[in-house]
Amino acid sequence: MSTAVLSQLQFAITSTYHFLFVPLTLGLTFFLALLETCHVRTKNEEWKRDSRKLLHFFGTVFLINFAMGVVTGIVQEFHFGMNWSEYARFMGDIFGAPLALEALSAFFLESTFLGIWIFGWDKLSEKAHCLTMWLVAIGGNLSALWIIVANSFMQHPVGYSIENGRAVMTDFGALVTNHYVIGEITHTFFAGMSTAGILLAAISAYKILQGGAAATLFSRVMKDILAYTLVGLLGVAIAGHMHAQYLKDAQPMKLSSMEALWETEDPAPFAVFAVINENAMKNDFEITIPAMFSFMVYNAPEGEIKGIRELQEEAVQLYGSDNYVPNVTALFWAFRIMVGAGGLMILIVAVAGLLALRGKIADNRWMLRTLLFSLPLPFIANSVGWFVTESGRQPWIVVGLQKTVDAVSPNLTQTDIWLTILGFTLIYLILIVLALKVAIRYIKDNPAPERSKA
């Protein structure tokens, strides 16, 4: 493997580890803020006691996740200097601004008020304490926004000029209002809700199956968790659909590669299954739904969608001779895994929600087990979704401006990268195992049963 491919692999491993925790942070803070708002506003003393227990319980689960997210995220920033120094040199003027704002405005806000939330119980008024969690939620999602602003420039560059061989920012407003940002941030926000919701539903299902006083406590909140999750799942589906329509103009090669559409067609079919031959630039076998791809893009049963062959020819004319087609097979199946996992989660949560509305969820052990074992689904969907987003722009690291092979550090050796890949992967694996062990033990043993008063 070349140093560029190895550097991509290393960044992919680091990012995948990190992205296991990011959506949870975004979704859990928003849920905790809503739950604490209900706690403050309720006049029901029994629910007030129960909601406080739930806040402590789910808050601790969030803190374990937050710690892992911070640890895995810090390493990512070092990659820009270690592995991608040419990218940092070329893009530093633009990429550095949102990263700096993420640290100064978002992470400081989130971490500062998280500390106040942790130690502020019974020291702040209920409303002030609730406000701190809302500020944590705002800080976390603002952090995601700044990262997405930086990433969106890489996907669709705007507000820049090329000076002395470097990309220089000329319009910060254009950078922030980049239409690509809208699609990514909405998709990310609802993905956070979905991921956190599935985790909370799985934990609650486990506690109900566990029985005892905890079963009663978590049965009370299950309906609300399922509603929160369903909103997130439907939101991520709608946001993803609208963003895919935007890709027709912003990144047509990514869109057509996701569907393995080699020839320009009007209307274009949707391939349910395909045996893809990338060397011959065709599908040896496919099962398609006529006109469905055009319908998905245009909301109408007709509309031209450019094929990969034509897009490759256009790219050669624009940028020079090279292969501008990403890994079609990987993109095609990654997209279907993401959509399939999302559809399965919607089905499970919708059925569980109907049972919860009828007051039957606590008695349906089959449904509770289904919720428990659905826990890997959002993490699978998030990981393959990230893969689609990032690999779909290859061979570019910044679309139209810098290729991935030109962005890698010039003096980096394969030995350097292999050693750090193995080192980081081993350390992350140990940390995740330890974090899971702590989280599982905490979930199993808490909330602790109340001691009877003598």
Side-chain angles (χ1 to χ4, degrees), residues 16 19 23 151 155 180 184 187-188 191 236 240 243 247 251 254 258 330-331 333-342 377-393:
T16 300
F19 208 62
N151 182 264
Q155 306 282 349
Y180 208 97
E184 282 207 344
H187 200 60
T188 301
V236 78
H243 190 55
L247 291 181
Q251 287 184 313
K254 178 188 289 186
M258 286 160 52
L331 278 172
W333 289 112
F335 179 71
R336 276 146 187 78
I337 291 170
M338 178 184 69
V339 172
L377 290 176
F379 299 97
I380 293 171
N382 292 337
S383 296
V384 295
W386 171 84
F387 175 82
V388 169
T389 298
E390 299 306 303
S391 66
R393 71 166 182 264

Side-chain angles (χ1 to χ4, degrees), residues 318-331:
L318 192 59
Y319 304 113
S321 180
D322 202 347
N323 179 17
Y324 297 94
V325 181
N327 189 325
V328 176
T329 303
L331 278 172

Side-chain angles (χ1 to χ4, degrees), residues 435-452:
L436 284 174
K437 185 176 180 180
V438 171
I440 290 171
R441 179 174 294 181
Y442 178 80
I443 292 167
K444 183 179 179 181
D445 297 339
N446 290 276
E450 294 183 1
R451 296 178 181 178
S452 59

